[in-house]
Amino acid sequence: MNHDNQPQNKLKVISYNQEQNKIVEFEQKLITFADVGGLEDVKKKIKIDFIMPIQSPEIFKAYGKAIGGGLLFYGPPGCGKTFLARAIAGEINARFLHLDLQSILSKWSGEAEQNLHEFFEDARQKKPCVLFIDELDALGGNRQKLHSHHERLLVNQLLMELDGSTSNNEGIYVIGATNTPWYLDPALRRPGRFNSLLFLPPPALEERKTILTLKTSGKPQQELQLDLVAKYTEHFSGADLEYLVKDAVDLAIARSFETGTVQPLTNQDLLNAMEKRQPTTLEWFATAKSYAKFSDVNQEYKDVLDYFYKNNLKQG
Ligand code: ADP
C-alpha cells in the first residue's frame, strides 16, 4: 500500500457536496477498526475476505480464488455502515471516496451518467481508494418495477463502471450500503459486483458499553457506570449512543459555564440525556421483518430474523 499517500492520522475524503453541487476533497480524522465498537464477527470476515486479499494477493491467487467483488452493508440507519467503510479505508491506508446516490440522483439529473463516469475516473486517478456508494437502493431496482428510463441508464452506467471492462479498476475497493437491500436492482448483486452481503445490527449490551467508552474517552469525567447506561439503551444504534453522549457532554459544559470551572461528565448527565432519547432502529426492524419473513427466497436476510427473535422484538 502507498503509505505516502496520506498525512498521518488524517483520512483524505472525496465526496459530492450537495449545496455546492460539486465534488469536494477534504480531510477527516483517520479511523481504524479499533474505533468501531463491537461488530467483531463482521470485522473478522472483512479482514479475511476483503483486506487480506488486498494485502497478500499472492495467497489468494495460489489457491485459485478470485479476488474482487464488492461488499454490501445493510441494516438499520446509524449502525456503522459509513463508519465501518471509513475504518476500512483507514486500515488499508487508502483514500475514501463517498458517493451518495440519493443526492446525485436529485442534483445530477440529465447529466448523471457523465458525472458518475467522471467520479469513477477520478477514483482511478486516486488509487488505492475505498469507493463507498451509499443509498444504493436509490437506484430504483425492485422498488417500483417500472422505474424510470433515467434511473435505468444510471444503473447501466454504474454496472459498466463497476465491471471496469473498459478501464482498470485495480486498487479501487468498492463498498455499497443500503438500509433496504430488498429494493436493490438484482443486476447489482451478480458475482463480481456487490456479492457479499453483510448485516450490521444494532450493538448488543457489551458492544454498547464499548461504544459508550469510545465516545466518552478523553472527556473530563467522574467514574462512569457505562454498563448501567448500556443496560438501559437496548436497540440504540451507534449513532443514537453518540448523540446521547453529545447531549450529556452539553449538560456538563453548561454546568462548567455556570460554575466557571471545567465540570466532569457525570452518570447523572448520561442518565438525563438517555431519558430524552429513543432507539431509532425499531422502525427499521418493523419493515425489515416482513421482507425477511415473506420475500427472502434466497435466505439472505436470515440475520435480520435471528436478531428479531433473539432480542424479543414485538411482531412487526
Ligand atoms: P449508517 O449505518 O447510517 O451509515 P454511520 O456509519 O453514519 O451509520 O454512523 C453514524 C455515527 O454513529 C458514526 O459517525 C459513528 O460515530 C457512530 N457509530 C455507529 N456505529 C458505531 C460503532 N459500531 N462504533 C462506534 N461508533 C459508531
Side-chain angles (χ1 to χ4, degrees):
M1 276 308 112
N2 178 2
H3 287 275
D4 306 326
N5 197 17
Q6 322 213 46
Q8 265 201 332
N9 301 325
K10 292 280 177 224
L11 178 70
K12 282 210 167 154
V13 181
I14 298 164
S15 94
Y16 168 72
N17 182 299
Q18 206 166 356
E19 272 120 57
Q20 298 175 28
N21 193 15
K22 64 174 190 190
I23 308 279
V24 292
E25 193 163 351
F26 55 96
E27 286 180 351
Q28 260 182 353
K29 182 172 170 264
L30 186 119
I31 57 165
T32 64
F33 279 178
D35 298 287
V36 180
L39 295 174
E40 294 309 328
D41 290 347
V42 174
K43 286 192 264 189
K44 197 165 152 194
K45 189 164 169 42
I46 293 173
K47 264 194 185 140
I48 295 172
D49 290 353
F50 195 76
I51 296 184
M52 295 305 284
I54 293 171
Q55 291 172 338
S56 311
E58 65 288 352
I59 296 182
F60 258 56
K61 276 187 192 141
Y63 286 96
K65 217 172 138 111
I67 302 178
L71 298 174
L72 179 60
F73 295 161
Y74 81 101
C79 288
K81 294 183 285 299
T82 315
F83 200 61
L84 187 60
R86 258 178 67 199
I88 293 176
E91 288 282 330
I92 62 173
N93 203 15
R95 275 187 169 80
F96 186 65
L97 273 62
H98 188 166
L99 187 65
D100 180 344
L101 282 182
Q102 190 68 56
S103 60
I104 67 159
L105 263 179
S106 59
K107 283 279 187 169
W108 285 357
S109 57
E111 42 198 79
E113 293 92 66
Q114 182 57 26
N115 286 350
L116 188 67
H117 176 66
E118 277 166 23
F119 199 86
F120 268 83
E121 280 296 290
D122 204 35
R124 291 179 188 114
Q125 303 297 315
K126 301 207 160 114
K127 299 188 279 195
C129 66
V130 166
L131 174 55
F132 179 63
I133 309 182
D134 206 356
E135 308 229 34
L136 259 181
D137 45 284
L139 284 180
N142 285 339
R143 191 174 30 154
Q144 320 115 347
K145 296 270 185 229
L146 293 171
H147 56 102
S148 70
H149 174 65
H150 171 66
E151 283 182 17
R152 187 72 247 163
L153 288 178
L154 200 59
V155 171
N156 288 345
Q157 184 70 36
L158 180 60
L159 294 176
M160 219 158 77
E161 301 296 344
L162 289 173
D163 292 345
S165 45
T166 49
S167 33
N168 182 4
N169 282 349
E170 211 181 308
I172 303 181
Y173 309 112
V174 184
I175 299 174
T178 172
N179 294 340
T180 50
W182 31 85
Y183 289 149
L184 275 196
D185 189 312
L188 290 166
R189 300 289 321 283
R190 298 221 180 100
R193 295 170 183 167
F194 295 102
N195 41 351
S196 183
L197 191 64
L198 287 173
F199 177 50
L200 271 57
L205 179 70
E206 273 309 306
E207 298 180 313
R208 293 198 293 277
K209 193 175 161 194
T210 310
I211 294 175
L212 288 163
T213 308
L214 285 166
K215 304 296 177 195
T216 50
S217 97
K219 317 233 183 281
Q221 55 187 270
Q222 60 162 216
E223 206 172 312
L224 297 174
Q225 286 178 293
L226 296 179
D227 36 2
L228 198 68
V229 183
K231 190 172 157 197
Y232 290 113
T233 46
E234 211 184 355
H235 311 307
F236 274 52
S237 67
D240 293 336
L241 295 172
E242 182 178 27
Y243 284 122
L244 185 160
V245 170
K246 274 191 179 145
D247 291 348
V249 165
D250 284 346
L251 295 174
I253 290 176
R255 222 175 26 257
S256 304
F257 281 137
E258 269 165 34
T259 57
T261 53
V262 174
Q263 297 289 311
L265 180 66
T266 65
N267 284 311
Q268 197 55 50
D269 292 330
L270 288 169
L271 295 178
N272 289 347
M274 190 176 77
E275 271 177 13
K276 298 212 178 80
R277 291 216 165 256
Q278 297 292 323
T280 58
T281 61
L282 294 175
E283 209 181 313
W284 184 88
F285 276 103
T287 325
K289 193 185 174 199
S290 55
Y291 285 96
K293 207 166 175 186
F294 303 114
S295 319
D296 191 13
V297 271
N298 298 326
Q299 295 263 310
E300 288 188 307
Y301 309 124
K302 197 176 156 294
D303 290 345
V304 175
L305 281 186
D306 287 350
Y307 181 93
F308 216 91
Y309 295 127
K310 222 166 116 187
N311 290 278
N312 297 318
L313 287 174
K314 284 199 208 77
Q315 290 292 114

